[in-house]
């Protein structure tokens, strides 16, 4: 096993292997090291041998992710925790059984979905056929809204909030996501049972959640009259959900791309949102230009001191969740039924066609990845075209929302020709 004196710079500069994972062990503290997967995920690990124990006296514990922001660990913190574990092992105590692992703290709030999902991605995904695809699904669909959720608090309603619209929009993808979530918990209960039991998780909270039947592919697009009915309702709802719904219609972005938006993803000078590959489905960086109206909505959002999420009910520490009720409220107040968040994206795409936007630009606006040879050879971003088309749609939307003049009584008068006019 390769050894070197671990430093912050050295760990930062580690290169991911082409496949599998590598482990570098600290020359100055035997048993302590860093593991890096082919996906670039780095974790602190410690290996120990329990003194005086017969039989299987060796163990391994993952301390946490590499980083300087909670829940990740700095090098200094990881070394300190490793020393605690190694000291217990030298004293004849199995640290795993005493739950000294950094991931298994005493408080239920300290073990989050991010920790369990990361363990699953690092350990299980490399062993299964669709492992890389599942990692990407977890990072895009689950981590933004579930990452900081304590495992002990996750309920079926959290899954329904993500899956409800997928059953009608993309039923196969919804089924795959549900199976993935269940697999993460089942794997944790088999392989991380002590940590999960320490916070009261002894069964899969989604065990009895079943996919919905009779799903139909949607083609719903909001009419101009429906937009006129919904927009003032969204305005009355305001921050956060009313503003999120407006931005979805203005940008064509996916719900979680806006719902989990963070301050550092907004470039105010260039007037765009920059989403990293793990925050969108195109597997590349995506620039989403912002129209004047979109900028105004984002500028009105509160700037939290503690957290970085733009739309949040927890002071920016977590992104908003629980999208079903605000949508139902908007339905009840506007009288417009049968629409989903994804229908706002489809409406934007349809309106761009009506505005005669170039087909390639239309697809790039909603971040549909190019196919075939275009995916390899056409690396042009079409940024100017995207900006012009989104601003054109925002201008058109203002026209749609203008109050219609009420016909006056004079407008209803029709001048009839006089009978026998011109007769002698």
């Amino acid at each position: 096993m390769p050894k070197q004196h671990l430093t912050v710079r050295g760990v930062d500069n580690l290169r991911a292997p082409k496949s599998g994972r590598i482990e570098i062990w600290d020359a100055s503290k035997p048993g302590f090291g860093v593991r890096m997967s082919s996906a670039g995920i780095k974790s602190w690990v410690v290996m120990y041998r329990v003194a005086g124990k017969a039989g299987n006296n060796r163990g391994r514990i993952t301390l946490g992710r590499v980083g300087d922001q909670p829940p990740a660990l700095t090098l200094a913190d990881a070394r300190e925790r490793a020393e605690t574990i190694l000291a217990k092992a030298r004293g004849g105590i199995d640290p795993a059984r005493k739950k000294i692992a950094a991931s298994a703290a005493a408080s239920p709030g300290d073990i989050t979905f991010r920790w369990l999902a990361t363990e699953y991605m690092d350990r299980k995904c490399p062993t299964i056929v669709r492992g890389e695809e599942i990692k990407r699904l977890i990072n895009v669909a689950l981590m933004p809204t579930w990452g900081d959720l304590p495992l002990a608090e996750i309920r079926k309603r959290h899954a329904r909030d993500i899956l409800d619209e997928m059953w009608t929009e993309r039923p196969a993808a919804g089924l795959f996501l549900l199976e993935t979530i269940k697999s993460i918990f089942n794997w944790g209960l088999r392989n991380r049972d002590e940590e999960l039991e320490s916070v009261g998780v002894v069964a899969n909270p989604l065990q009895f959640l079943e996919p919905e039947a009779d799903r139909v592919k949607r083609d719903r697009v909001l009419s101009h009259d429906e937009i006129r009915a919904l927009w003032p309702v969204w305005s009355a709802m305001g921050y956060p959900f009313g503003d999120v719904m407006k931005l979805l219609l203005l940008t064509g972005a996916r719900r979680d791309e806006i719902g989990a938006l963070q301050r550092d993803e907004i470039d105010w000078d260039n007037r765009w949102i920059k989403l990293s590959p793990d925050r969108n489905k195109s597997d590349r960086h995506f620039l989403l230009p912002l129209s004047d109206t979109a900028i105004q909505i984002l500028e009105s959002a509160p700037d939290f001191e503690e957290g970085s999420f733009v739309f949040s009910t927890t002071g920016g520490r977590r992104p908003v969740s629980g999208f079903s009720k605000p949508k139902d409220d908007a339905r009840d107040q506007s009288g417009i039924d049968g629409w989903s968040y994804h229908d706002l994206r489809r409406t934007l795409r349809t309106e761009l066609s009506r505005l005669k936007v170039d087909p390639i630009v239309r697809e790039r606006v909603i971040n549909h990845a190019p196919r075939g040879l275009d995916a390899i050879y056409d690396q042009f971003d079409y940024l100017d075209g995207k900006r012009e088309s989104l601003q054109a749609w925002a201008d058109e939307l203002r026209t749609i929302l203008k109050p219609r003049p009420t016909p006056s009584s004079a407008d209803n008068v029709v001048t009839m020709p006089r009978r026998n006019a011109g007769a002698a």
Side-chain angles (χ1 to χ4, degrees), residues 263-277:
R263 283 282 169 185
D264 60 5
E265 293 176 326
I266 305 173
D267 187 325
W268 298 103
D269 293 331
N270 290 306
R271 296 167 62 89
W272 64 45
I273 291 171
K274 183 175 183 179
L275 297 177
S276 59

Side-chain angles (χ1 to χ4, degrees), residues 267-329:
D267 187 325
W268 298 103
D269 293 331
N270 290 306
R271 296 167 62 89
W272 64 45
I273 291 171
K274 183 175 183 179
L275 297 177
S276 59
D278 63 348
R279 279 273 287 123
N280 74 91
K281 295 188 176 181
S282 67
D283 201 24
R284 65 181 187 276
H285 287 285
F286 173 59
L287 295 180
L288 177 62
L290 298 168
S291 63
D292 295 340
T293 308
I295 286 286
Q296 291 170 6
I297 293 172
L298 289 171
E299 285 179 340
S300 68
D303 193 357
F304 300 110
E305 293 184 2
E306 296 184 12
S308 62
F309 289 102
V310 177
F311 299 104
S312 174
T313 56
T314 57
R317 294 185 296 277
R318 298 180 192 168
V320 288
S321 60
F323 286 89
S324 297
K325 186 179 184 304
K327 180 171 68 69
D328 292 343
D329 290 343

Side-chain angles (χ1 to χ4, degrees), residues 100-156:
I100 297 174
S103 54
S107 170
D110 288 338
I111 297 187
T112 64
F113 178 80
R114 186 183 310 280
W115 169 79
L116 179 59
T118 301
E119 287 287 292
Y120 181 84
M121 288 190 290
D122 284 354
R123 294 177 177 273
K124 180 63 176 177
C125 285
T127 70
I128 52 184
V129 174
R130 301 177 70 179
E132 290 302 317
E133 181 182 353
I134 290 172
K135 284 185 193 179
R136 187 165 174 275
L137 178 67
I138 293 170
N139 284 321
V140 172
L142 298 175
M143 287 299 203
T145 51
W146 281 32
D148 296 327
L149 272 178
L151 282 182
E153 294 181 11
I154 293 179
R155 299 291 184 269
K156 285 188 286 188

Side-chain angles (χ1 to χ4, degrees), residues 4-14 42 44 75:
Q4 65 184 57
H5 178 67
L6 293 182
T7 64
V8 173
R9 176 176 292 184
V11 172
D12 288 343
N13 291 335
L14 285 178
K42 302 173 188 175
W44 302 115
L75 174 58

Side-chain angles (χ1 to χ4, degrees), residues 14-23 35-41:
L14 285 178
R15 293 186 177 181
K18 292 182 178 180
S19 62
R21 62 188 183 188
I22 58 171
E23 291 178 336
R35 179 179 67 230
M36 188 175 189
S37 71
S38 58
I41 298 172

